[in-house]
Amino acid sequence: MIDLRSDTVTQPTPAMWDAMRAASLGDDTLEGDATVQALEALGASRAGKDAALFVVSGTMGNLLASLCYATRGGEAVLDAHAHMAKSEAGGVARIAHLYPVSVPSRYGEMDLNVLADVLRPGFSRYGQPTAMVCVETTHNHSGGYVPSLGYMEQVRGLASHAGIAVHADGARAFNAAVSLGVELAQLAAHCDSITLCLSKGLSAPMGSILAGSHEFIAQARTFRRMVGGGLRQAGIMAAAGVVALESMVERLADDHRRAQRLWQGLADLDATLVDPAPSRSNIVRLRVDKQRTADARAWEHALEQHGVLARASGAGALRLVTHRHIEDADIEHAIDAIARIRAE
Ligand SMILES: Cc1ncc(COP(=O)(O)O)c(C=O)c1O
């Protein structure tokens, strides 16, 4: 099977297995675990932030950030298609008790006029202050689009003018940095805190990094304990994370190249199958709403019959994600499968 459902299906590399076996371990919530500390130091330095915290998932990283910014309540400003708004079980509202305010977005970039309008530096007659503004890069729901650095800078400018923090859901921020041709720290300079996933294209078996100021990370550590994320001999997992940060970032460019080939192959078949431009990261949105069979679930099934796994994303589209286990020949196979299904 050619598994294009997600980059989260990636298995640990042999170097990760070796590092996991050799990791020196401690109790991370007692005296500390040296491997976790090494990962956190590396994560902080890659993100250009003071400090970092190893957490079990991207969702937990985003939740801890929400809890940190929510100490005085208020509103969370998110784009209407944000993963934090749509796919994290409502933790922003249900656990952090922030009122979510959504801003329309296009290809992952919020409408800046609307954003400027909804930001509240303090209490107003009708609402509480904005506790945080969230950006997402790369943007999952829009098909892996990479918000420009100019956009990130403008969001930060608007927020900081109002004294409001910006959190980046950077589950795939390394993909964004590679795609933009910049260091992660250049991108993360436009936010106060950032979540980075190790378990997606970077191939680690689990874990994310939350990075920010010393004070922010100290708070997040306490909130991690509160939500049951205090870890013990977590160095086993952190060891794979160190390998991920040290050796798995540059190869993301291969995933991007293959995703662009997939986009081009589909565009050559029928321009309505894809977005007008490729995302330049590792996700391709297959649009089936203009096809004879317009149901994404039916396409999921048909693709499986042709040896390709993909996931429906809404009623008329599927998400195809390239990653370390996808080769050039797999991309050609997937294009061919889609051509055959259209002809059936
Ligand atoms: C943009 C984005 N943010 C956050 C997450 C959550 O990560 P996790 O599955 O590790 O909780 C995902 C997962 O796919 C994601 O795509």
Side-chain angles (χ1 to χ4, degrees):
M1 278 290 177
I2 296 167
D3 195 344
L4 293 167
R5 288 172 304 163
S6 176
D7 46 10
T8 55
V9 302
T10 45
Q11 298 281 319
T13 64
M16 287 177 184
W17 282 112
D18 290 346
M20 286 191 270
R21 262 190 295 271
S24 71
L25 305 175
D27 186 326
D28 192 43
T29 48
L30 287 180
E31 73 283 0
D33 177 299
T35 312
V36 171
Q37 287 162 354
L39 173 65
E40 290 176 345
L42 187 57
S45 114
R46 288 292 151 87
K49 301 291 180 205
D50 295 341
L53 185 70
F54 182 45
V55 294
V56 299
S57 64
T59 301
M60 184 180 280
N62 290 334
L63 175 62
L64 299 185
S66 307
L67 284 162
C68 289
Y69 295 125
T71 46
R72 287 169 50 239
E75 300 182 340
V77 173
L78 306 128
D79 87 80
H81 304 292
H83 195 275
M84 285 176 73
K86 297 182 77 125
S87 306
E88 297 184 8
V92 169
R94 295 206 57 193
I95 303 177
H97 296 298
L98 291 174
Y99 181 77
V101 174
S102 73
V103 174
S105 66
R106 205 171 134 69
Y107 296 118
E109 297 192 1
M110 288 181 276
D111 181 320
L112 294 176
N113 292 322
V114 178
L115 175 64
D117 219 36
V118 300
L119 293 178
R120 290 185 213 268
F123 283 91
S124 76
R125 187 179 295 237
Y126 299 111
Q128 300 174 45
T130 309
M132 66 171 179
V133 174
C134 301
V135 293
E136 183 177 317
T137 184
T138 65
H139 195 272
N140 185 342
H141 191 79
S142 75
Y145 279 86
V146 185
S148 70
L149 288 185
Y151 161 80
M152 304 265 298
E153 194 178 350
Q154 279 177 289
V155 171
R156 183 83 186 289
L158 287 171
S160 54
H161 185 68
I164 298 164
V166 175
H167 174 67
D169 174 359
R172 295 185 181 79
F174 280 107
N175 294 82
V178 166
S179 178
L180 292 167
V182 299
E183 294 297 325
L184 180 76
Q186 286 171 264
L187 183 155
H190 300 302
C191 59
D192 297 277
S193 56
I194 185 164
T195 302
L196 308 164
C197 288
L198 304 165
S199 61
K200 299 194 164 70
L202 300 185
S203 295
M206 64 153 272
S208 292
I209 292 286
L210 176 64
S213 68
H214 286 299
E215 192 192 349
F216 172 87
I217 292 300
Q219 278 182 23
R221 196 175 288 281
T222 306
F223 287 128
R224 186 183 69 171
R225 175 74 183 168
M226 185 183 87
V227 299
L231 302 169
R232 302 297 182 181
Q233 284 73 42
I236 294 181
M237 291 301 168
V242 171
V243 176
L245 291 185
E246 282 179 342
S247 62
M248 301 301 288
V249 173
E250 278 174 22
R251 64 152 307 286
L252 294 175
D254 295 336
D255 299 342
H256 298 177
R257 178 179 56 73
R258 292 192 174 107
Q260 285 200 41
R261 166 64 198 136
L262 180 56
W263 180 91
Q264 189 62 58
L266 299 179
D268 291 346
L269 282 180
D270 174 351
T272 69
L273 281 171
V274 283
D275 289 320
S279 73
R280 305 200 179 281
S281 76
N282 69 330
I283 304 178
V284 176
R285 200 155 41 166
L286 170 64
R287 295 177 164 273
V288 295
D289 49 332
K290 302 274 184 328
Q291 301 300 304
R292 204 158 11 103
T293 306
D295 173 16
R297 297 260 173 229
W299 271 82
E300 235 184 61
H301 183 67
L303 280 165
E304 193 171 347
Q305 304 303 305
H306 286 82
V308 178
L309 298 179
R311 270 169 81 195
S313 165
L318 295 96
R319 226 176 55 127
L320 309 177
V321 187
T322 57
H323 52 78
R324 195 177 109 246
H325 306 312
I326 300 297
E327 303 291 339
D328 291 342
D330 299 328
I331 298 294
E332 300 311 318
H333 181 110
I335 296 168
D336 192 52
I338 290 163
R340 282 169 195 265
I341 294 168
R342 292 179 75 241
E344 276 166 7

